[in-house]
Amino acid sequence: MDTKQHFKFTTGVLFYPVLFVLIIWLIFWFEVRFGYNFSKYGIYPQSLKGLRGIIFSPFVHGSITHIYHNTVPLFVLSMALFYFYRSIAWKILFLGILISGFLTWCIGRPSYHIGASGLIYVLVSFTFFKGVFAKHFRLIALSLLVVFLYGSMIWYTMPIEQGISWEGHLSGLITGFIFALFFRKSIAKPKKYRWEQPDYNEDDDPFLKHFDKDGNFIEIIEPEMEQEQPSVHYIYKKNNSKE
C-alpha cells in the first residue's frame, strides 16, 4: 500500500465514524436549541406508524447523558469496523439498523424506543463473534478487547433497569451474531509478517542466528584478520655534494 492509498484508507476509517457521530450530535443540538422533541420518531412496536422509527431512532436521543454514553462506543466500534472489515462495513451498518430495528418493533414494549444503542450492540456482537470465527490471533485479540471494554453491556439485554430498551439491546446482540455467521467467509486478511509466511525458515534468519534456543544472546566473534603491512615509501635524495 503506497502513501496515497494509505492516506485514503486512514481517512475513510476516521471520516465515516466521525460523520455519523456528528450527525447525531447536530440533531440533538437542534432539538435543544429550537425546543423540539423527536422522540415520536422512535420505534413504537406493533404499529405501522412506529415502523419509521427503524430508520430514525438511532439518530434520536433523550438526554445529554444518553447521547454521550452512545456516541463514544459507537465511534470506537464503527472505526474498528471500517478498519478490519472495510469491504462489508456499510452492509453491517445499514442492515444492522434495519434488522435490529425490526426485531425491536416485533418484541418491544408499547413505548418509543430511541437511541443508537441497538446498533452498538450489533457492532459489539458482530466484532466479538467474527473474531472468534475467523480464528486469526489479531481478530481474536480485537474480540477480547471488545469484551474487556463492553462486556458488561450483556446485562442490559435483560430487563434489569427501568427506562432502558433492553429489547433493542437484545435485538442488536442477535443481529450481530447472525451477521458474524452470514459473513463468516468475509474474513479480513491482515498483512503477514515475514515469520508468518508458510515458507519461512528460522534457520535462515540472520537476526535469530544471534540467539540460542533459550533466547540467550550469542556473541559472534569475527576471526581476526591478518594485519597488512603498511606500505613504505622510500625517498631517495640525489647527493649533489662534491666529495
Side-chain angles (χ1 to χ4, degrees):
M1 183 182 294
D2 57 25
T3 305
K4 186 176 180 181
Q5 290 178 329
H6 180 73
F7 176 78
K8 185 177 180 181
F9 175 77
T10 306
T11 303
V13 169
L14 291 174
F15 176 75
Y16 298 120
V18 169
L19 180 62
F20 197 9
V21 170
L22 183 60
I23 291 174
I24 291 175
W25 276 95
L26 285 174
I27 292 174
F28 182 75
W29 171 84
F30 185 86
E31 285 187 274
V32 175
R33 177 66 178 82
F34 298 101
Y36 284 90
N37 187 353
F38 292 150
S39 296
K40 62 182 180 180
Y41 292 99
I43 299 172
Y44 198 92
Q46 290 95 47
S47 70
L48 292 177
K49 192 175 182 179
L51 285 172
R52 65 184 180 181
I54 294 175
I55 300 296
F56 298 127
S57 63
F59 302 94
V60 181
H61 292 81
S63 65
I64 189 70
T65 304
H66 187 202
I67 191 173
Y68 171 76
H69 285 304
N70 277 354
T71 52
V72 173
L74 180 62
F75 174 76
V76 174
L77 292 167
S78 59
M79 189 169 60
L81 179 69
F82 277 98
Y83 185 85
F84 290 98
Y85 305 105
R86 187 179 181 85
S87 61
I88 58 174
W90 286 113
K91 293 180 181 179
I92 298 299
L93 287 177
F94 286 126
L95 293 177
I97 291 174
L98 294 177
I99 297 177
S100 66
F102 180 73
L103 287 177
T104 303
W105 184 85
C106 292
I107 68 175
R109 292 162 290 173
S111 179
Y112 288 106
H113 298 254
I114 59 175
S117 56
L119 178 59
I120 292 171
Y121 274 81
V122 172
L123 298 178
V124 169
S125 178
F126 171 78
T127 305
F128 172 75
F129 289 111
K130 192 69 164 67
V132 173
F133 295 155
K135 297 180 181 179
H136 191 285
F137 74 92
R138 296 185 203 175
L139 301 180
I140 293 175
L142 176 63
S143 298
L144 295 177
L145 179 61
V146 168
V147 171
F148 176 76
L149 293 175
Y150 305 113
S152 61
M153 292 171 60
I154 189 66
W155 297 109
Y156 294 100
T157 60
M158 296 175 281
I160 62 174
E161 187 173 340
Q162 193 174 9
I164 292 180
S165 177
W166 64 269
E167 300 95 331
H169 299 169
L170 180 61
S171 298
L173 185 70
I174 295 173
T175 303
F177 176 74
I178 293 174
F179 285 170
L181 290 174
F182 184 80
F183 294 105
R184 193 168 181 174
K185 295 183 179 179
S186 303
I187 297 175
K189 296 180 180 179
K191 182 180 178 181
K192 291 186 177 181
Y193 294 102
R194 183 169 178 264
W195 55 83
E196 297 180 90
Q197 301 296 335
D199 58 345
Y200 171 70
N201 185 1
E202 64 179 13
D203 295 331
D204 297 331
D205 195 321
F207 176 77
L208 294 179
K209 290 181 179 180
H210 293 275
F211 298 88
D212 60 18
K213 294 181 179 180
D214 297 325
N216 301 316
F217 180 75
I218 303 174
E219 183 179 1
I220 299 178
I221 302 176
E222 299 291 341
E224 296 183 358
M225 302 294 293
E226 295 183 1
Q227 296 183 353
E228 296 182 357
Q229 295 296 330
S231 58
V232 180
H233 298 277
Y234 296 95
I235 301 176
Y236 296 90
K237 292 184 179 180
K238 184 177 182 181
N239 190 352
N240 293 329
S241 61
K242 294 182 180 180
E243 296 182 357

